[in-house]
Amino acid sequence: MLYLLRYLKNYKKETVLAPLFKMMEAFFDLIVPLVVAKIIDDGIKKDNIDLVLKLGAVMILLTIVGGTIAITANYFAARAAAGFGYELRLSLFKKIQSLSYSQLDELGTSTLITRITTDLNQVQAQVNMFIRLIMRSPFIIFGAMIMAFLVDSKTAVIFVVAIPLLAIIVFGIMLISIPLYVKVQEKLDRVTNSTRENVNGVRVIRAFNRQDSEAKNFDEENIVLQKIQILAGRVSQIINPATFIVVNVAILAILLVGGDRVNLGYMSQGKIVAMVNYMSQILIELIKLATLIINVTKAVACAKRIEEVLVTKSDDNHGDLEVADKNSEYILELDKVGFSYNNFKEKAISDVSIKIKPGETIGIIGGTGSGKSTLINLIAGFYDATEGEIKVCGKDIKEYSKKFLAEFSALVPQKNILFKGTIRENMLWGRADATKEEIDKAIEISQSKEFIEKDKDGLERYVAPMGTNFSGGQRQRLTIARALLKKSEIIILDDSTSALDFATESKFRKAIKEIESTKIIISQRTSSILDADQIIVLDDGAVVGIGNHDSLLNECEIYREIYETQFSD
């Protein structure tokens, strides 16, 4: 939690002023019982109505001034907490963006979403509460005890006994509850992940009629979360009754001891009322403090989870080279490259060696799970090879910056993603300064022109989040157009024509030949890569054949089987 407080550095003024104003408010609250005692002893007891009215006016004035100060303090606290949340949220988002694909896989999407939303909101809310109460509550508690000694030192001894007991109860429960709230957040991650999977896979779940099964699984996870939340809640809620018991016993002791002292003439009735008021103030502040501590324990658990992400060092070890030697014989070289996800023993690809010249069209084919997409992720620089070396224009890929690699290659992934906005705005993701002519050209090559021109809005047609208002084929063509617009040296199409019919795909293959960039086409259709300069055949993560279509038909059994299966006639 202390690590995160650095995000308050731009709000030092608000962080200091809010507690100071709260202390001023507390000072006025501590004066009120003395005024009440004066009203009873010198006003009511002596039947002095004028004094009662005057002191009543003083109490009203104290209330107005205290309320104004409290509003001011709350304003500064809210401003500091909101600023803290903004700074922390931005920093956490940037950190997530800087993490490698391997680290993102290891952390998991659901837990990152929980940390940047639920966890962060919890921490922000408690920073607000902490700033307002951290000085006010202790000031009232110890201030009330001091004022009690000024009223009557012998009766005030009760405060000296009660306050340490209350502190032991509050902090003891806090030590037990913190680990429980950590477990609550962990279980919440699992529920969030289950929800995310069900929302994303709702169509598959319904297609296989698995609603009841998924509901049962979710219910089981939800019950586990409920049980740990109930346990944590029960432990935390002990604070309130325990503090009430101690405070009420203390009030009873004040009445007994104070009553005897009144009978003996050492105290007045007004002072007894003042002592009870001070004990009541302590009770109220302790309840607030207990609530604060309960919530802060939750916030500490959340803060630790946020801190885990913030202190994670990115394992991105890429250099800062921004220029490639375009005169190099090979634009891309892979030398005995191997890779395994999260250092798992089983390799996704192994001993892959490929050389690609500028302007070549490369086809990559293989069965499901053969390592095609993994190979592309390595070529694009998303993952670092665990074995071997990848060279771009003669230099190790790790010498180049991430920014350069992102511009050097344009990838159309298997999962076609469009963003909320318009078609034009989605196209400009490829290149922000692209002209209308360049957009039109990319749309024409990707075979998107026909369905865009049919719509009256054209390029201004609305795109729903994830592009759900377009068909699978339309999404694929738009993502291809977006990638083409980048005019990168390498264009990678990862099974990006799978949703197109053969006629549309044929037109696209002819049109993309106009592009001078090096083209890497991953497909499960041999028809998509027949004209490629090199075809790379993968099987179980290894290269089992490299050559053109004719040579592979004669020399590579796996390629021949794939081809004959698709062209059986």
Side-chain angles (χ1 to χ4, degrees), residues 4-12 79-95 116 120 124 306 310:
L4 301 185
L5 294 181
R6 65 181 64 187
Y7 294 99
L8 281 170
K9 65 182 180 181
N10 294 328
Y11 304 91
K12 292 177 181 176
R79 184 176 172 85
F84 166 84
Y86 166 79
E87 300 280 354
L88 179 55
R89 193 174 289 108
L90 181 62
S91 179
L92 186 57
F93 183 80
K94 287 181 178 179
K95 169 58 74 171
I116 202 171
L120 201 148
Q124 179 180 328
I306 295 170
L310 290 174

Side-chain angles (χ1 to χ4, degrees), residues 38-285:
K38 194 76 173 172
I39 291 173
I40 293 170
D41 292 337
D42 297 338
I44 297 173
K45 193 174 180 180
K46 296 179 181 180
D47 200 22
N48 189 344
I49 302 301
D50 290 338
L51 183 61
V52 172
L53 294 174
K54 287 178 182 179
L55 292 176
V58 170
M59 287 184 64
I60 293 172
L61 181 62
L62 289 173
T63 303
I64 293 171
V65 173
T68 304
I69 293 172
I71 291 171
T72 306
N74 291 343
Y75 166 77
F76 284 125
R79 184 176 172 85
F84 166 84
Y86 166 79
E87 300 280 354
L88 179 55
R89 193 174 289 108
L90 181 62
S91 179
L92 186 57
F93 183 80
K94 287 181 178 179
K95 169 58 74 171
I96 292 171
Q97 292 291 323
S98 72
L99 297 177
S100 68
Y101 274 58
S102 297
Q103 289 173 308
L104 292 173
D105 291 342
E106 187 176 349
L107 286 167
T109 304
S110 60
T111 184
L112 289 174
I113 292 172
T114 303
R115 293 182 200 205
I116 202 171
T117 52
T118 306
D119 288 349
L120 201 148
N121 290 338
Q122 179 76 11
V123 173
Q124 179 180 328
Q126 298 321 307
V127 164
N128 187 352
M129 193 173 181
F130 185 83
I131 291 172
R132 288 189 288 113
L133 297 181
I134 187 57
M135 291 184 71
R136 172 192 162 82
S137 291
F139 184 81
I140 287 281
I141 292 167
F142 291 105
M145 185 173 69
I146 293 168
M147 296 298 287
F149 271 96
L150 293 176
V151 173
D152 187 76
S153 58
K154 290 188 177 181
T155 310
V157 173
I158 297 166
F159 287 75
V160 178
V161 177
I163 290 174
L165 281 175
L166 293 166
I168 291 170
I169 291 169
V170 169
F171 289 102
I173 293 171
M174 182 183 71
L175 292 174
I176 299 171
S177 61
I178 286 177
L180 291 175
Y181 283 115
V182 172
K183 290 183 179 179
V184 167
Q185 293 304 126
E186 290 173 355
K187 301 302 179 186
L188 181 61
D189 279 348
R190 296 185 63 176
V191 171
T192 303
N193 185 52
S194 179
T195 304
R196 182 171 173 271
E197 285 184 345
N198 274 270
V199 171
N200 289 341
V202 63
R203 295 179 182 178
V204 177
I205 291 168
R206 291 179 181 177
F208 285 88
N209 195 27
R210 298 284 294 178
Q211 295 97 315
D212 293 340
S213 174
E214 289 301 311
K216 182 181 178 182
N217 292 337
F218 181 84
D219 186 49
E220 289 174 357
E221 292 177 354
N222 204 20
I223 287 172
V224 173
L225 174 62
Q226 180 192 31
K227 287 180 178 178
I228 191 70
Q229 282 179 326
I230 289 172
L231 178 59
R234 283 175 177 171
V235 171
S236 298
Q237 292 307 315
I238 294 173
I239 289 180
N240 279 359
T243 52
F244 266 105
I245 290 169
V246 174
V247 170
N248 286 329
V249 169
I251 290 174
L252 181 61
I254 289 171
L255 293 174
L256 290 173
V257 175
D260 287 340
R261 291 182 62 76
V262 169
N263 290 333
L264 295 172
Y266 295 116
M267 283 183 71
S268 64
Q269 294 173 343
K271 288 182 179 180
I272 287 288
V273 173
M275 295 289 278
V276 172
N277 280 342
Y278 282 130
M279 185 55 75
S280 297
Q281 283 187 346
I282 289 174
L283 173 62
I284 292 169
E285 291 306 319

Side-chain angles (χ1 to χ4, degrees), residues 250-501:
I251 290 174
L252 181 61
I254 289 171
L255 293 174
L256 290 173
V257 175
D260 287 340
R261 291 182 62 76
V262 169
N263 290 333
L264 295 172
Y266 295 116
M267 283 183 71
S268 64
Q269 294 173 343
K271 288 182 179 180
I272 287 288
V273 173
M275 295 289 278
V276 172
N277 280 342
Y278 282 130
M279 185 55 75
S280 297
Q281 283 187 346
I282 289 174
L283 173 62
I284 292 169
E285 291 306 319
L286 276 170
I287 292 171
K288 289 182 182 178
L289 193 59
T291 304
L292 172 65
I293 291 172
I294 291 169
N295 290 326
V296 166
T297 56
K298 297 178 185 177
V300 168
C302 295
K304 285 181 180 178
R305 288 157 47 79
I306 295 170
E307 186 178 337
E308 284 175 8
V309 179
L310 290 174
V311 300
T312 299
K313 291 185 179 179
S314 175
D315 59 11
D316 176 15
N317 55 357
H318 281 257
D320 54 7
L321 191 61
E322 297 283 353
V323 180
D325 180 12
K326 295 185 179 180
N327 295 320
S328 177
E329 181 181 2
Y330 297 105
I331 192 170
L332 195 64
E333 298 172 76
L334 281 75
D335 183 22
K336 297 182 178 179
V337 169
F339 177 78
S340 60
Y341 287 99
N342 293 327
N343 296 316
F344 193 61
K345 289 183 180 180
E346 186 177 345
K347 295 178 182 178
I349 61 170
S350 59
D351 199 30
V352 174
S353 296
I354 305 169
K355 291 185 178 181
I356 301 173
K357 293 181 178 180
E360 279 191 320
T361 298
I362 306 298
I364 300 177
I365 195 168
T368 302
S370 59
K372 303 186 295 297
S373 294
T374 299
L375 182 60
I376 290 310
N377 285 331
L378 294 174
I379 291 172
F382 295 151
Y383 292 90
D384 292 332
T386 51
E387 295 176 2
E389 185 181 32
I390 300 175
K391 290 183 179 180
V392 173
C393 296
K395 292 188 177 181
D396 193 321
I397 192 172
K398 293 180 181 178
E399 295 183 27
Y400 295 97
S401 69
K402 283 286 190 180
K403 180 181 178 183
F404 170 82
L405 293 175
E407 294 174 351
F408 190 76
S409 63
L411 171 65
V412 184
Q414 280 184 330
K415 187 176 181 180
N416 311 118
I417 296 175
L418 297 173
F419 298 92
K420 182 181 178 180
T422 64
I423 293 178
R424 184 189 301 279
E425 288 170 348
N426 273 271
M427 292 300 101
L428 293 179
W429 274 68
R431 205 172 80 247
D433 60 349
T435 63
K436 185 179 184 303
E437 290 72 22
E438 290 172 324
I439 295 174
D440 290 341
K441 183 68 175 175
I443 285 172
E444 184 178 350
I445 293 173
S446 68
Q447 308 304 305
S448 307
K449 186 176 180 180
E450 182 181 355
F451 75 83
I452 290 175
E453 287 186 344
K454 281 183 179 179
D455 192 278
K456 59 183 179 64
D457 294 324
L459 289 173
E460 305 306 321
R461 179 179 172 181
Y462 173 73
V463 179
M466 306 298 288
T468 52
N469 57 332
F470 289 88
S471 68
Q474 289 173 335
R475 283 199 302 272
Q476 280 194 337
R477 284 178 277 176
L478 288 173
T479 52
I480 290 170
R482 182 174 61 193
L484 294 176
L485 201 58
K486 286 181 68 176
K487 295 186 176 180
S488 300
E489 299 296 324
I490 299 176
I491 295 173
I492 304 170
L493 305 173
D494 187 1
D495 205 15
S496 54
T497 59
S498 58
L500 304 184
D501 58 71

